[in-house]
């Protein structure tokens, strides 16, 4: 798979940060229609999200998250816009995005991409790091709730090919200046 990283600025409360979206393009194939993928039911999406996220968080000593029905409508509205741009959260929630042109992409793929950023996190310099910001939000210990929405986006909206686009929202927001050392745990052995 080809990985592309895009960075754009995001103002969050008193902190200004640069966000990174990991987009994965599936290998090129003979031009065929992209098979329609059935969207998971709301219950399946919730169950898949909590299973993947909580397993990943446990590997870094962070407690489990619960699903937020309050965060979901905003995440869904944002995902179906099919635009890579962060919302103006004003510190009310954290946000992570993932996109893939693989029509089989699922929540587990998004979580895996975010957690893999952890291999580049520099614990000797705790703080916001451009290549690991989704990882640090995912494992942020004081975060307690999550919601993820997924949309199938047309070619040209974000990538040249049709893609699956995931938007996750978290409360309490992570990646807050001065709070990294106590909120981003090292891998648990």
């Amino acid at each position: 798979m080809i990985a592309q990283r895009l960075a754009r600025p995001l103002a969050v409360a008193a902190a200004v940060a640069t966000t990174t979206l990991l987009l994965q393009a599936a290998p090129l194939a003979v031009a065929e229609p992209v098979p329609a993928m059935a969207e998971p039911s709301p219950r399946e999406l919730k169950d898949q999200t909590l299973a993947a996220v909580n397993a990943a968080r446990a590997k870094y000593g962070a407690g489990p998250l619960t699903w937020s029905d309050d965060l979901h409508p905003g995440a869904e509205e944002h995902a179906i816009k099919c635009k890579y741009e962060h919302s103006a959260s004003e510190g009310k929630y954290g946000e992570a995005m993932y996109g893939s042109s693989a029509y089989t992409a699922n929540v587990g793929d998004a979580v895996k991409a975010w957690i893999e950023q952890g291999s580049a996190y520099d614990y000797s310099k705790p703080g916001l790091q451009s290549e690991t910001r989704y990882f640090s939000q995912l494992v942020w210990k004081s975060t307690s709730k999550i919601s993820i929405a997924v949309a199938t986006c047309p070619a040209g909206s974000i990538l040249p090919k049709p893609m699956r686009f995931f938007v996750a929202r978290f409360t309490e927001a992570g990646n807050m200046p001065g709070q990294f050392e106590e909120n981003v745990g090292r891998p648990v052995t």
Side-chain angles (χ1 to χ4, degrees):
M1 291 188 151
I2 301 169
Q4 301 174 353
R5 297 183 192 277
L6 304 174
R8 298 197 183 177
L10 166 69
V12 177
V16 176
T18 303
T19 58
T20 303
L21 167 63
L22 180 64
L23 296 175
Q24 293 183 334
L28 296 176
V30 178
E32 312 179 356
V34 175
M37 181 168 176
E39 297 295 334
S41 72
R43 182 66 185 183
E44 290 170 330
L45 181 62
K46 177 181 176 180
D47 291 347
Q48 291 168 6
T49 297
L50 293 176
V53 165
N54 290 333
R57 287 174 58 85
K59 293 177 182 177
Y60 289 85
L65 300 183
T66 59
W67 183 262
S68 172
D69 289 329
D70 293 336
L71 290 171
H72 191 73
E76 187 172 53
E77 180 180 315
H78 196 76
I80 62 175
K81 288 179 185 176
C82 294
K83 293 184 179 180
Y84 172 66
E85 49 188 40
H86 281 272
S87 57
S89 71
E90 299 176 0
K92 296 176 195 164
Y93 52 83
E95 192 167 74
M97 298 181 194
Y98 171 82
S100 174
S101 62
Y103 73 93
T104 57
N106 59 46
V107 170
D109 297 323
V111 171
K112 180 180 178 196
W114 298 332
I115 207 72
E116 285 177 349
Q117 291 180 352
S119 65
Y121 187 79
D122 186 352
Y123 287 93
S124 69
K125 297 177 187 172
L128 189 61
Q129 299 167 18
S130 64
E131 295 298 315
T132 62
R133 65 192 64 252
Y134 289 162
F135 158 75
S136 53
Q137 172 60 78
L138 182 65
V139 301
W140 198 261
K141 289 181 179 181
S142 66
T143 293
S144 61
K145 296 182 180 182
I146 187 171
S147 186
I148 292 182
V150 59
T152 301
C153 299
S157 57
I158 298 175
L159 289 177
K161 296 176 73 174
M163 64 174 284
R164 308 239 328 133
F165 185 48
F166 297 81
V167 175
R169 289 198 174 164
F170 304 82
T171 57
E172 294 63 39
N175 291 340
M176 302 307 272
Q179 299 177 25
F180 282 81
E181 199 162 358
E182 66 267 19
N183 279 290
V184 180
R186 292 181 182 271
V188 175
T189 53

